[in-house]
Amino acid sequence: MEERKNKSFGIKYFLEGVLVTCLVVAVLYFVAMWLPLGGAPGKPDSFQAQRKIKEIERLIEKHYLGEVDEQQQTDYMFLGLVAGLGDRYSTYYTQEEYEKIKRAQDGAFIGIGITIVQRSEDQKLQVIDCMEDSPAAKAGVKAGDVIESINGTNAEGMTSSQAVELIQKSEDTAITMVLTREGSDAPVTVEIAKETVEMKSVEGEMLENQIGYIQITEFTGVTSSQFEKIYGELKDKGMQKLVIDLRDNPGGLVDGVCDTLSQILPEGVIVYTEDKDGNRNERDCEGKTPIDIPLAVLVNEGSASASEIFAGAVKDYGIGTLVGTTTFGKGIVQNTYQLSDGSVVKLTVSHYYTPKGNDINGTGITPDVEVEQPEDSETDVQLAKALEVLAS
């Protein structure tokens, strides 16, 4: 009997202990949320910051007139955390946002090769561009076509983003579209095979006097192979001099520019970076195919980042003449870090330096021959100057 009584008391004390513990935890949580305790009040995870978030949430819940998208609120909160660094190049992306950016950086994606916009006058989807040799072009799609349906889904009121998502996420190997076309009485039905489509970042042609011209609009994952193809074609046609146009090229992938430069540089360092701890990382060129013809590179204030890596290497090795205006001056590198839910944080992590150790961040690269492009000019003054430099 005594033993049973002691056991009952033991259970009673145990339950009372659990209850007291729960009360203590609840009090501590309340204190943490509502009282301005110490620590570092400016930190995002401080008690004061958490309490302020709760206050704002309650005010929104009580007074805000419109609908609340809680996921958007949360995403913007994460975005603000990174934006608070004051670095224009560091940011936060949702998983969906980063997937779109990654496709653009890769330069290749599974799709059909069209650009779509939603017309403002009637909200209809219209094809404004159809890439040459793309699946859509092969199926007969033309710029100006209006999309009436995609795989049987009415496109009325559909946004361009929704249409792109419908095409890309479709498990079908082919996309069926019903189109209306100016000059055609009946709708046109096309079946388009989904394939790997490369976004063109390199264009080229032969100018007069056997001068090759190559324009690079961005450095993506496929820029190097596109450059190699066009550069080789121009050499096969007897190219004796070359102009590479990097004007308004915002940059892109470091791998993309280094792989492209490796096709024309002598042996040596292409670029090197240093992080916050002074760790140095070099990108080298084996120098197997150094350029052996006169080269001019066009740059302007819109040439940034990877474009400046290209221009800096050309200038430091003396393999070509820079023509145009001073470049943008972005001499820093960003890395991306994927979070557990698939979202991504992009942070500035290092400075980069030209082969001779020049830090161009904030100053840019001054061309060897400076020439402005007048806004009202009908001729390409900078290109004309580059051709003049090559002629001399």
Side-chain angles (χ1 to χ4, degrees):
M1 185 75 177
E2 187 68 30
E3 183 180 344
R4 189 180 303 169
K5 188 175 181 182
N6 290 337
K7 187 177 293 187
S8 298
F9 277 122
I11 294 172
K12 178 183 177 183
Y13 291 143
F14 172 76
L15 292 175
E16 288 177 350
V18 171
L19 179 61
V20 170
T21 302
C22 291
L23 287 172
V24 170
V25 170
V27 169
L28 288 175
Y29 177 80
F30 178 82
V31 170
M33 290 297 100
W34 295 102
L35 296 181
L37 298 181
K43 291 188 66 177
D45 61 348
S46 67
F47 291 151
Q48 290 90 333
Q50 296 298 320
R51 187 186 70 171
K52 194 168 185 176
I53 290 172
K54 289 295 181 184
E55 287 179 330
I56 294 172
E57 286 177 342
R58 284 173 171 78
L59 287 171
I60 292 172
E61 184 178 348
K62 184 176 181 180
H63 300 291
Y64 181 62
L65 178 63
E67 293 291 327
V68 176
D69 186 332
E70 294 180 342
Q71 183 59 57
Q72 182 170 286
Q73 281 184 296
T74 304
D75 289 335
Y76 270 81
M77 186 168 64
F78 298 144
L79 178 64
L81 188 63
V82 182
L85 297 172
D87 176 11
R88 60 188 293 187
Y89 303 112
S90 295
T91 190
Y92 165 85
Y93 300 113
T94 65
Q95 183 176 6
E96 293 76 16
E97 289 170 339
Y98 185 67
E99 284 175 354
K100 293 178 183 178
I101 292 169
K102 189 70 166 59
R103 283 196 294 269
Q105 289 177 334
D106 291 341
F109 57 93
I110 301 295
I112 60 176
I114 59 174
T115 303
I116 307 168
V117 297
Q118 187 180 46
R119 298 195 306 204
S120 57
E121 61 269 24
D122 56 10
Q123 306 303 303
K124 285 185 174 292
L125 291 177
Q126 185 170 35
V127 178
I128 61 168
D129 183 57
C130 185
M131 293 174 62
E132 186 180 351
D133 296 326
S134 67
K138 294 172 185 175
V141 179
K142 298 180 180 180
D145 287 348
V146 174
I147 301 173
E148 299 296 337
S149 70
I150 302 171
N151 280 354
T153 301
N154 193 331
E156 186 74 29
M158 190 182 292
T159 67
S160 56
S161 297
Q162 289 170 336
V164 170
E165 186 175 4
L166 181 60
I167 293 168
Q168 290 180 339
K169 291 191 174 181
S170 171
E171 296 181 358
D172 298 328
T173 57
I175 301 297
T176 301
M177 283 188 178
V178 177
L179 311 168
T180 53
R181 181 174 296 162
E182 189 174 349
S184 179
D185 296 331
V188 178
T189 301
V190 294
E191 188 171 287
I192 312 166
K194 288 174 67 175
E195 300 174 7
T196 300
V197 178
E198 278 195 7
M199 298 174 65
K200 280 196 173 181
S201 59
V202 184
E203 300 278 359
E205 62 178 315
M206 187 73 83
L207 306 179
E208 294 180 355
N209 303 317
Q210 296 302 105
I211 298 177
Y213 171 84
I214 297 178
Q215 181 186 39
I216 305 175
T217 56
E218 188 176 3
F219 289 98
T220 70
V222 296
T223 299
S224 173
S225 60
Q226 292 180 1
F227 179 86
E228 182 179 20
K229 181 176 182 292
I230 293 174
Y231 185 49
E233 290 172 350
L234 291 173
K235 286 195 291 186
D236 290 342
K237 292 177 181 178
M239 176 175 62
Q240 297 177 8
K241 300 174 184 180
L242 175 62
V243 176
I244 296 178
D245 192 346
L246 299 179
R247 289 175 296 180
D248 297 317
N249 180 325
L253 299 178
V254 174
D255 285 345
V257 68
C258 289
D259 291 344
T260 303
L261 278 168
S262 291
Q263 300 175 49
I264 63 171
L265 283 183
E267 182 180 2
V269 175
I270 300 173
V271 65
Y272 69 90
T273 61
E274 288 186 1
D275 64 17
K276 63 189 295 184
D277 299 318
N279 298 313
R280 176 167 167 158
N281 181 41
E282 294 183 356
R283 296 296 300 267
D284 299 319
C285 174
E286 295 181 0
K288 293 181 178 179
T289 56
I291 192 167
D292 56 2
I293 58 175
L295 170 67
V297 177
L298 289 168
V299 294
N300 65 4
E301 60 280 359
S303 306
S305 192
S307 295
E308 293 173 294
I309 290 177
F310 193 107
V314 167
K315 186 170 186 177
D316 281 8
Y317 280 105
I319 63 169
T321 303
L322 301 188
V323 179
T325 54
T326 300
T327 61
F328 183 81
K330 181 178 181 288
I332 48 180
V333 179
Q334 287 73 43
N335 273 353
T336 55
Y337 304 91
Q338 192 165 37
L339 306 180
S340 57
D341 64 349
S343 58
V344 170
V345 171
K346 182 174 74 171
L347 298 175
T348 298
V349 295
S350 60
H351 273 86
Y352 75 75
Y353 300 85
T354 69
K356 289 187 175 180
N358 296 315
D359 180 2
I360 57 91
N361 195 48
T363 59
I365 298 173
T366 303
D368 303 300
V369 179
E370 294 191 65
V371 54
E372 296 276 352
Q373 176 64 40
E375 291 184 7
D376 57 351
S377 177
E378 296 182 359
T379 61
D380 192 334
V381 176
Q382 293 173 329
L383 176 58
K385 174 59 72 173
L387 297 176
E388 180 185 318
V389 167
L390 290 176
S392 63

